[in-house]
Amino acid sequence: HPLSALLETESLDRVKIYLLGNDQTPPLYSDALLLKFRHNHLIWNATFHRTPDRIILELEPHLSDPQACQTDLNQSPRLLLSQLQNIITIQELCDFSSREVKRLTQFDRVMIYQFHEDGHGEVIAEARGNDLEPFLGLHYPASDIPRQARRLYETNLLRVIPDVSYSPIPILPPCHPMSNAPLDLSYSILRSVSPIHCEYLRNMGVRASMSISLLHEGRLWGLIACHHYQSAKFVPYPVREKCEFFGQLLSLQISNKLHRNESDRRACTKAAILNLIQVMTDESQFTHCLVQNEELFLSLVEASGAAISYNQELYLLGATPSLQEVEKLLLWLKNRVAEPYFETDELSKHYAPAKDFLATASGLLSISLSASQKSFLLWFRPEFLQTVYWAGDPSQVAFKNEKHPEQLSPRNSFALFRSTVQAHSRPWLTWQLDSAQLLRSAILSIIVKKALEIEQLNHRLTQALLARDQFLAVAAHELKTPLTALDLQLQLALRTSAKQESKLPQALILPKLEIAQLQAKQLGALIANLMDVSKIQSGRLQLNPRPDVNLSELMQKSAENHINLFNRAKRELLIKIQPNIRGLWDESRLRQILTNLLSNALKYGASGPVELEVTADQDSAWIIVKDHGIGIPENKIAHIFDRFTRAVPEHVYPGLGLGLWLVKQIVEAMGGTIRVTSAVDVGSEFTVRLPIQVGSSSNRGA
């Protein structure tokens, strides 16, 4: 029927004026007018709301006697807001609100019902009649208010059922005459509700109910749930309007307090992280900073324990699983968790071995610094045993309807049911996750900065090494010419002295000339080493192998050339050489290898003998030089063949630290290997293996 068939002319004109004047209102905006019916002259509250293609008008009786509902409808909204703002905590806010809504509506029971992360609800505040049992602290499973119902609460902020035993009235016609689509009543106050929900309320003994949505950041945080038991209860529009307004104020205050609490937490955490960043920037390793500031590191996310895994190092702080358990957990994270962040308050659900360390790590928050290198920051929380009181067994969700087997009926038992939550920690909060992410970003920035600094340092070091090598090459070349001239002059002086052409006694001059010539030879060897360093560094080292080189004779003559050095040092050189070892080798480089090894043994061999052994098998020749001197410390052995590396202080044993490096480079250029075994105060043994090249005249000794 047209609206004119229902309303008096004056009321119809008011509707037309209202609609024309409010055609730009939001689609979900609702308002009310007082209208008079044509046939009985009764006054009705008319509520409008818009949908994309129509306007829906809902009518309900207007309360003619203002005293019929014992409420203070004229209380100032400003006073109400002031009362809410003066309350400090959310719990106090909810306690006040439950009492205020009960006073305003006169329902038997008014509860503040908060939703948890998993969707189940808890009664956190309650105002009730003295004859009613308390529901405060009871939990209700998520299935009692399913997800689709919670979504509806987010769009329609007030829902009222005056009588759960009502008979639904059908919409006529059931579909729109023009679009043939059913009428969308999502935002209607007077729409019918789910029969299962009505049955659920009847099972609780509830006769009438009203709920007011509490939103936080657009999502359903909780409900103001009102129950009436002995009779039906009609809540008139002015009261509902004030209740809805009150719910919006309460939602704002809850959001403000949640934001303020979180903001305070974030501010404190940010300040702490900034302090950590400053210290980490000054430290060479950020891990050392975190370890030294253990208490602060744990407090960033309110954890009881932590683990830091970086660069093959693992640090445990506070209460944690064992070292072996943490190492296995890190391997699992590396292989199973792709995201840079992972958090759970039930670790054993994801990682079965965690059942063995619930007392220290039922909850885990991890951030990955480099999953490929197993670099993580982990925070742990212990198991938090919690006893939860349910209004009925939460596992009993619904039952088969005996009268209509194709339908489900809601649970009908609300007897107190107690359960203990195990293997869970306290949940990680949003601000704590954000703190971990902020710390990760800061650490990654520091790592990148340190990497750039190291890269720059390496570049400067490379340039310095290049400059040094160039200097060595130039210095060796410049020293070689005068040294050659000096050596010639010493040889001439020795020959002249031998012919007795000098007026000085030979017994006086000959030893000094021989010492001078020996020093010149040692200087020549040093210059030759420096030139070889330059050649090796520039890739210009060349070998001149000759076939059928007799290694046995070569080593024997070279060793004998060192006898005078050993005699002057009052040391013994023991020689044991397998005869007739032949192969394809560079003779001069073989002499250089032996000279460096014998000089090294003479320098560090203390007063004991030096042993030289040369032997061969089918494929290789072996040169072994052994001393019984000071030996090499265990922590220096791995670097003994590095360039400019020395195992002993320079002021005790002078030298450049080039000899063994040169030997290794030459041996490897020949396709061989060198190794050392040593012990402090026992001595050292150097073993050179040289392959006997195929095609030589003989490949083993006689």
Side-chain angles (χ1 to χ4, degrees):
H1 295 281
L3 195 58
S4 59
L6 183 64
L7 299 180
E8 288 186 348
T9 302
E10 182 183 353
S11 293
L12 183 61
D13 291 341
R14 292 179 63 195
V15 170
K16 291 178 180 179
I17 294 172
Y18 175 82
L19 294 179
L20 289 174
N22 294 275
D23 59 345
Q24 299 301 318
T25 55
L28 304 184
Y29 177 81
S30 66
D31 204 350
L33 294 175
L34 293 179
L35 304 178
K36 186 178 291 187
F37 275 21
R38 178 183 293 276
H39 64 286
N40 57 15
H41 306 293
L42 293 178
I43 298 176
W44 295 72
N45 280 103
T47 306
F48 299 85
H49 71 270
R50 297 174 182 272
T51 66
D53 60 348
R54 73 202 66 182
I55 297 173
I56 294 178
L57 169 65
E58 298 181 77
L59 300 168
E60 57 186 278
H62 175 62
L63 187 64
S64 58
D65 181 6
Q67 301 302 320
C69 186
Q70 300 173 9
T71 59
D72 180 10
L73 299 180
N74 296 316
Q75 182 181 357
S76 167
R78 183 178 299 175
L79 176 60
L80 181 60
L81 178 60
S82 176
Q83 289 176 314
L84 293 174
Q85 288 177 333
N86 289 332
I87 297 175
I88 298 175
T89 68
I90 291 179
Q91 183 60 56
E92 292 172 335
L93 196 64
C94 291
D95 290 337
F96 169 82
S97 299
S98 62
R99 295 192 300 268
E100 184 67 13
V101 173
K102 185 177 186 306
R103 184 191 66 80
L104 183 66
T105 63
Q106 299 298 302
F107 272 97
D108 293 335
R109 185 195 305 270
V110 175
M111 301 169 286
I112 307 294
Y113 186 86
Q114 181 186 358
F115 290 101
H116 289 252
E117 288 293 329
D118 61 357
H120 93 271
E122 178 185 2
V123 179
I124 62 171
E126 179 184 45
R128 58 181 173 84
N130 295 331
D131 57 334
L132 297 177
E133 62 176 319
F135 285 179
L136 184 63
L138 291 183
H139 292 245
Y140 292 79
S143 57
D144 280 12
I145 304 179
R147 185 174 301 173
Q148 62 271 24
R150 293 198 294 273
R151 284 199 298 267
L152 190 58
Y153 280 121
E154 291 174 354
T155 55
N156 200 334
L157 302 183
L158 188 140
R159 187 176 192 178
V160 61
I161 306 177
D163 190 346
V164 297
S165 299
Y166 74 94
S167 296
I169 306 299
I171 299 294
L172 299 177
C175 294
H176 195 286
M178 299 178 65
S179 65
N180 202 34
L183 187 64
D184 183 0
L185 294 175
S186 298
Y187 307 105
S188 172
I189 295 295
L190 303 182
R191 74 193 185 283
S192 185
V193 297
S194 165
I196 295 179
H197 181 59
C198 288
E199 186 177 353
Y200 175 85
L201 292 175
R202 287 195 295 270
N203 292 343
M204 290 186 71
V206 175
R207 182 72 183 273
S209 75
M210 183 177 72
S211 58
I212 308 166
S213 301
L214 300 175
L215 303 182
H216 172 55
E217 296 181 342
R219 297 186 60 188
L220 190 65
W221 181 87
L223 293 171
I224 302 176
C226 308
H227 288 173
H228 210 65
Y229 294 96
Q230 299 301 322
S231 62
K233 184 172 182 58
F234 172 71
V235 182
Y237 176 80
V239 178
R240 294 204 314 271
E241 185 180 36
K242 181 157 188 174
C243 288
E244 186 172 347
F245 175 69
F246 183 90
Q248 292 174 349
L249 285 181
L250 179 57
S251 293
L252 288 174
Q253 290 304 309
I254 289 174
S255 291
N256 286 340
K257 294 186 185 306
L258 289 174
H259 284 141
R260 183 176 299 174
N261 292 341
E262 188 166 325
S263 177
D264 291 344
R265 289 285 191 177
R266 289 179 186 275
C268 292
T269 302
K270 187 175 182 180
I273 290 177
L274 289 176
N275 289 335
L276 277 177
I277 291 173
Q278 181 61 47
V279 179
M280 286 189 292
T281 304
D282 297 337
E283 287 275 353
S284 59
Q285 287 287 345
F286 75 89
T287 52
H288 298 161
C289 167
L290 297 181
V291 171
Q292 293 168 2
N293 294 272
E294 174 181 333
E295 185 176 349
L296 178 58
F297 180 53
L298 295 177
S299 68
L300 291 180
V301 295
E302 296 185 345
S304 58
I308 305 169
S309 174
Y310 186 72
N311 278 352
Q312 308 302 317
E313 294 183 336
L314 178 59
Y315 304 92
L316 301 183
L317 311 176
T320 70
S322 68
L323 182 65
Q324 294 75 16
E325 289 169 332
V326 173
E327 287 176 340
K328 292 178 181 178
L329 176 60
L330 287 168
L331 185 61
W332 176 79
L333 286 169
K334 176 184 176 183
N335 295 331
R336 299 293 179 87
V337 179
E339 299 299 322
Y341 309 100
F342 176 76
E343 56 89 13
T344 177
D345 60 356
E346 190 181 4
L347 179 58
S348 58
K349 177 181 177 181
H350 307 275
Y351 178 64
K355 295 177 181 177
D356 296 331
F357 46 81
L358 295 176
T360 54
S362 288
L364 170 68
L365 169 58
S366 78
I367 59 175
S368 170
L369 302 177
S370 174
S372 61
Q373 299 179 9
K374 205 169 66 174
S375 296
F376 290 90
L377 298 183
L378 309 181
W379 286 276
F380 303 109
R381 280 181 178 170
E383 182 179 33
F384 176 62
L385 293 175
Q386 183 181 15
T387 300
V388 178
Y389 294 91
W390 298 89
D393 187 347
S395 64
Q396 302 298 320
V397 176
F399 301 89
K400 289 286 186 180
N401 190 312
E402 295 180 358
K403 295 182 180 180
H404 304 283
E406 72 281 2
Q407 299 179 1
L408 290 176
S409 292
R411 62 195 181 97
N412 52 25
S413 174
F414 296 89
L416 186 65
F417 183 89
R418 184 174 63 182
S419 68
T420 301
V421 179
Q422 297 177 311
H424 284 71
S425 71
R426 294 185 183 276
W428 304 96
L429 303 179
T430 302
W431 70 267
Q432 294 163 349
L433 304 182
D434 292 343
S435 297
Q437 294 178 15
L438 180 60
L439 180 63
R440 177 180 186 266
S441 299
I443 290 175
L444 290 180
S445 298
I446 291 172
I447 291 174
V448 171
K449 181 181 177 182
K450 294 290 186 184
L452 290 175
E453 291 176 355
I454 292 174
E455 183 179 355
Q456 294 171 356
L457 182 62
N458 285 338
H459 178 71
R460 292 196 297 269
L461 182 59
T462 301
Q463 295 300 315
L465 289 174
L466 180 61
R468 184 185 64 185
D469 292 339
Q470 292 173 345
F471 167 77
L472 291 177
V474 172
H477 184 271
E478 294 297 324
L479 288 171
K480 187 176 181 180
T481 300
L483 181 64
T484 301
L486 174 62
D487 187 54
L488 289 174
Q489 292 298 321
L490 287 172
Q491 292 181 31
L492 178 62
L494 282 170
R495 287 196 298 270
T496 302
S497 175
K499 295 178 181 179
Q500 296 184 351
E501 294 179 1
S502 173
K503 297 180 180 180
L504 294 174
Q506 290 187 15
L508 179 63
I509 194 171
L510 278 177
K512 295 185 180 297
L513 289 174
E514 289 175 351
I515 292 173
Q517 189 178 38
L518 177 61
Q519 295 294 329
K521 287 182 178 180
Q522 290 178 345
L523 182 58
L526 175 60
I527 293 173
N529 283 344
L530 292 177
M531 295 185 71
D532 282 341
V533 170
S534 177
K535 291 177 182 178
I536 292 171
Q537 287 299 108
S538 60
R540 295 183 292 105
L541 179 67
Q542 294 183 349
L543 299 178
N544 298 302
R546 289 179 48 246
D548 203 30
V549 171
N550 191 326
L551 179 66
S552 303
E553 293 182 0
L554 183 66
M555 291 291 101
Q556 182 69 36
K557 292 179 181 179
S558 296
E560 290 173 355
N561 288 336
H562 288 78
I563 292 295
N564 288 339
L565 290 175
F566 278 82
N567 290 339
R568 288 191 183 91
K570 298 181 181 180
R571 300 277 297 285
E572 186 177 9
L573 176 61
L574 305 177
I575 303 173
K576 180 181 179 182
I577 298 178
Q578 180 179 323
N580 202 30
I581 301 173
R582 296 178 179 272
L584 181 67
W585 292 301
D586 184 324
E587 294 185 33
S588 64
R589 295 301 180 186
L590 290 174
R591 293 190 190 94
Q592 187 176 0
I593 290 171
L594 183 62
T595 296
N596 276 298
L597 292 178
L598 289 178
S599 299
N600 197 68
L602 184 62
K603 181 184 295 185
Y604 302 113
S607 59
V610 174
E611 302 172 27
L612 167 63
E613 182 179 359
V614 181
T615 184
D617 58 20
Q618 185 68 27
D619 303 312
S620 304
W622 306 83
I623 302 173
I624 304 169
V625 176
K626 181 178 181 180
D627 67 63
H628 302 274
I630 63 174
I632 304 169
E634 185 177 355
N635 63 336
K636 298 290 184 66
I637 289 180
H639 304 286
I640 195 65
F641 294 107
D642 293 347
R643 186 172 53 154
F644 299 105
T645 297
R646 302 168 47 78
V648 293
E650 184 177 359
H651 67 277
V652 180
Y653 295 91
L656 294 178
L658 287 173
L660 292 178
W661 180 80
L662 282 170
V663 169
K664 185 174 186 292
Q665 301 300 314
I666 295 170
V667 168
E668 290 180 350
M670 291 183 174
T673 60
I674 183 171
R675 70 174 188 270
V676 61
T677 58
S678 184
V680 175
D681 297 330
V682 175
S684 304
E685 180 175 302
F686 290 86
T687 302
V688 175
R689 182 194 65 80
L690 297 172
I692 298 177
Q693 301 292 333
V694 177
S696 60
S697 300
S698 174
N699 54 8
R700 68 176 300 165

